[in-house]
Amino acid sequence: MANYILSCCSTADLSEQHFRERDIHYICFHYMLDGKSYSDDLGKTMSFDAFYQAMADGAETRTSQVNVDEYVSYFTPFLEQGLDILHVTLSSGISGTYNSACLARDELAAKFPDRKIYVVDSLGASSGYGLLMDKLADLRDGGMALEDLRDWTEQNRLKLHHWFFSTDLTFYVRGGRISKASGWFGTMLHICPLLNMDDLGRLIPRFKIRGKNKVIREIAARMVEHAQDGPDYSGKCYISNSACMEDAQAVARLVEEHFPKLNGKVEINSIGTTIGSHTGPGTVALFFWGDERVR
């Protein structure tokens, strides 16, 4: 058994069962729905279906990251047990939680001088960040030492591809990511933006695809273009979705057709309430190992 714990944020968007089975610890972000505060606790307090229905009905959402004091309280019991920590955060390109975790690490260093706390920026989000954590659990279980696992994470995190599309522009307009005029024209023309994460962990619009069926084919085509070992890709593939399971399943079917050597079936998860507060319903995200993200 490793003498360190592997840790992340709830925004890795895996199920509680997945985290438990892989022995991955997590700390929860927070969100507000119509002014009431909730923990982003993997759908336990509020189901994902209820959350996305509330958004569709017009509920206002806000999110807040894990702060320094929360990280101190979260890390301390592990350190008191004599365990070191590798904590991997949500991308610094979309959240300030990496800085909060680093400040907590520095605060605890004086109190626990014999313990090690390593904080790594995943430069990822949702179940792509989760796919990275699943791989780290494999390496830990294979006996990799703490420092080696930290180094591996930093050296390989940009090989994890994140591709997203949305069939509903309502929440992109509401959040100010696109103008009302662009949102109106996009909706009228059935435009589905296809985005990915760049090398700084930022979500970048790449293509404007007209029609849901076409964008489903296009997101699968991006995996064909970038996957490790091309059609012989033998790694895992995760998908996350916000209340659009049929679209996620359509992408999964294409992926499984194109990549017969996949390590198991495509795993489909829900986009959690933190990230979902910004995307709203209608978003599908595809995650796989591939060539290095360079921009």
Side-chain angles (χ1 to χ4, degrees), residues 40-248:
D40 177 12
D41 58 3
L42 314 180
K44 285 185 288 187
T45 301
M46 177 181 293
S47 72
F48 296 124
D49 286 343
F51 172 76
Y52 286 115
Q53 186 60 56
M55 290 192 75
D57 292 342
E60 292 188 1
T61 58
R62 292 176 55 196
T63 60
S64 60
Q65 66 191 37
V66 182
N67 64 39
V68 176
D69 289 341
E70 288 172 316
Y71 271 123
V72 168
S73 296
Y74 170 68
F75 288 149
T76 296
F78 299 119
L79 302 172
E80 289 176 339
Q81 295 171 47
L83 296 169
D84 297 326
I85 300 169
L86 174 60
H87 182 74
V88 184
T89 71
L90 179 65
S91 172
S92 61
I94 58 175
S95 170
T97 195
Y98 170 73
N99 288 332
S100 296
C102 289
L103 290 171
R105 173 202 63 199
D106 295 344
E107 181 177 329
L108 288 165
K111 186 175 180 181
F112 298 94
D114 296 328
R115 299 270 59 83
K116 299 171 183 175
I117 307 173
Y118 294 124
V119 178
V120 178
D121 182 352
S122 73
L123 298 176
S126 194
S127 298
Y129 172 20
L131 183 52
L132 174 63
M133 297 307 301
D134 188 81
K135 178 63 176 179
L136 297 183
D138 286 340
L139 296 172
R140 176 207 59 202
D141 294 348
M144 186 173 283
L146 174 62
E147 287 80 4
D148 293 335
L149 192 60
R150 174 204 57 194
D151 295 345
W152 191 97
T153 308
E154 293 176 341
Q155 293 162 9
N156 291 276
R157 58 191 170 180
L158 290 179
K159 295 176 183 176
L160 204 297
H161 277 249
H162 299 59
W163 288 90
F164 301 73
F165 72 77
S166 179
T167 58
D168 186 346
L169 301 181
T170 303
F171 300 92
Y172 290 81
V173 173
R174 186 180 296 179
R177 287 178 291 280
I178 62 175
S179 69
K180 289 183 179 179
S182 294
W184 185 84
F185 282 112
T187 299
M188 293 299 293
L189 295 172
H190 304 290
I191 298 298
C192 302
L194 182 59
L195 313 90
N196 78 341
M197 295 199 90
D198 69 2
D199 60 327
L200 298 178
R202 303 171 301 186
L203 196 56
I204 307 294
R206 299 297 187 184
F207 307 99
K208 296 177 181 179
I209 310 297
R210 189 169 182 177
K212 182 167 70 174
N213 290 336
K214 187 173 181 181
V215 78
I216 287 173
R217 293 193 299 271
E218 285 296 322
I219 198 171
R222 299 287 73 76
M223 185 169 175
V224 171
E225 178 182 359
H226 293 287
Q228 213 168 58
D229 301 320
D232 291 328
Y233 179 73
S234 58
K236 293 182 180 179
C237 177
Y238 288 176
I239 289 174
S240 56
N241 79 102
S242 54
C244 49
M245 178 59 79
E246 289 185 2
D247 296 341

